[in-house]
Amino acid sequence: MEMISKSKSFGGEQRVYRHKSTVTGTDMDFAVFLPREALDGFVCPALFFLSGLTCTWENVTTKGLPQLHAAKHGMIFIAPDTSPRGEKVADNESYAIGKGAGFYINATQDPWASHYKMEDYIANELRTLVIDALPVDEDAIGITGHSMGGHGALTLAMKYPGKFHSVSAFAPIVNPAAVPWGQTVFELYLGEDQEPWKQHDACMLVLAKGWDGDILIDQGTADQFLEEQLTPWAFEAACRKAGVDLTLRMQGGYDHSYHFVSSFLADHMAWHADRLD
């Protein structure tokens, strides 16, 4: 890994790394906050934060103030990018397709299949990389995310329960197979056959695989995407049917922005710290 920046923050360090990914075939950047304990060599719990459409690692690290909360809990905070990038990486004029819109799945259709392998990148390559290079406790890794990243957090946690030990989400896309954002992307990335889509839909996964722990979701009631794209009640119904303990908090007046995320990020990080202790 090449460290391309570092800044002292709340007694720890906010770093950005770059590495050559064998999974995506591109250079990938990601951000890591190391609390004081990690800098002193102590193994620490870690939380992955998956960002939403159009974002990079920078959105949450500059707008969410995760460093404050991670320092409080002695937690390593890892923020990957949302897609592969580079001149040879396929793209689309729509903000919901292509660069910035990897959807944390492995694309199987051309031209996306060459580089868009974000499921393998997050769950396997990047997770292994940070465990090998940083003082991450591999038995205490949580995952959370916002919007598209909330979709990624929920689906990857249920598909890889031995790798992610706690899961939460902010305004996640919980039923992408049934909403416009997901349907458009799934058809392009995975093909018209909808059977493979089930492996990337949180509502279908919780019914098929369940989840041994509990789940926390925060959702703003003034979110402009609530009715058409997010539909948290679908996941609530699926969790109830699957017997999974879900806390869905509808937060009055909050929209889809990072003003919403930053308002409740402290709650989520404390929630993960309790479960990763």
Side-chain angles (χ1 to χ4, degrees):
M1 299 190 309
E2 175 192 2
M3 189 190 306
I4 58 176
S5 70
K6 70 174 181 179
S7 300
K8 187 168 184 178
S9 179
F10 295 99
E13 284 185 357
Q14 178 62 59
R15 299 179 178 179
V16 177
Y17 287 101
R18 178 172 297 151
H19 72 107
K20 293 187 180 299
S21 169
T22 59
V23 171
T24 68
T26 66
D27 286 347
M28 295 294 289
D29 293 355
F30 65 97
V32 176
F33 174 77
L34 296 174
R36 187 193 310 273
E37 293 88 342
L39 295 178
D40 289 341
F42 292 96
V43 174
C44 297
L47 182 64
F48 279 74
F49 184 98
L50 307 185
S51 294
L53 290 168
T54 74
C55 295
T56 69
W57 54 265
E58 190 173 15
N59 295 77
V60 68
T61 60
T62 57
K63 297 178 181 179
L65 203 63
Q67 301 87 353
L68 170 63
H69 315 307
K72 179 179 178 180
H73 298 292
M75 178 183 289
I76 296 172
F77 187 85
I78 302 161
D81 203 348
T82 50
S83 77
R85 300 180 190 271
E87 291 183 3
K88 296 182 179 180
V89 176
D91 201 8
N92 188 283
E93 61 184 13
S94 170
Y95 73 92
I97 303 166
K99 294 177 185 177
F103 263 81
Y104 307 102
I105 66 177
N106 293 333
T108 59
Q109 305 298 304
D110 291 332
W112 315 101
S114 298
H115 302 292
Y116 285 76
K117 303 290 185 183
M118 291 302 292
E119 177 178 337
D120 279 350
Y121 175 70
I122 299 295
N124 296 314
E125 185 176 37
L126 183 59
R127 181 183 179 278
T128 299
L129 187 68
V130 296
I131 290 171
D132 290 345
L134 301 170
V136 170
D137 183 349
E138 64 179 304
D139 295 318
I141 299 177
I143 190 166
T144 188
H146 173 226
S147 193
M148 177 185 73
H151 141 77
L154 293 170
T155 56
L156 295 183
M158 286 185 279
K159 294 174 79 170
Y160 302 94
K163 295 185 176 184
F164 299 106
H165 308 96
S166 59
V167 60
S168 72
F170 301 83
I173 306 169
V174 297
N175 197 189
V179 302
W181 272 343
Q183 290 171 334
T184 300
V185 167
F186 283 4
E187 185 171 337
L188 287 173
Y189 289 2
L190 302 174
E192 294 182 0
D193 179 5
Q194 295 188 15
E195 189 63 27
W197 298 11
K198 297 178 181 179
Q199 298 302 311
H200 307 285
D201 185 293
C203 289
M204 298 179 188
L205 281 171
V206 77
L207 291 171
K209 296 179 176 294
W211 175 253
D212 288 338
D214 53 348
I215 299 172
L216 172 64
I217 291 178
D218 274 304
Q219 171 65 62
T221 62
D223 191 316
Q224 61 270 41
F225 304 113
L226 177 59
E227 298 285 340
E228 184 180 24
Q229 307 283 13
L230 305 178
T231 63
W233 43 83
F235 189 64
E236 184 178 37
C239 285
R240 188 181 303 113
K241 187 174 182 179
V244 171
D245 183 1
L246 169 68
T247 299
L248 172 60
R249 306 193 305 185
M250 300 300 295
Q251 303 291 359
Y254 284 89
D255 61 18
H256 200 69
S257 70
Y258 265 91
H259 297 298
F260 158 67
V261 174
S262 61
S263 296
F264 300 102
L265 188 55
D267 289 356
H268 281 245
M269 295 184 71
W271 186 89
H272 282 277
D274 286 344
R275 283 149 184 79
L276 298 174
D277 188 5

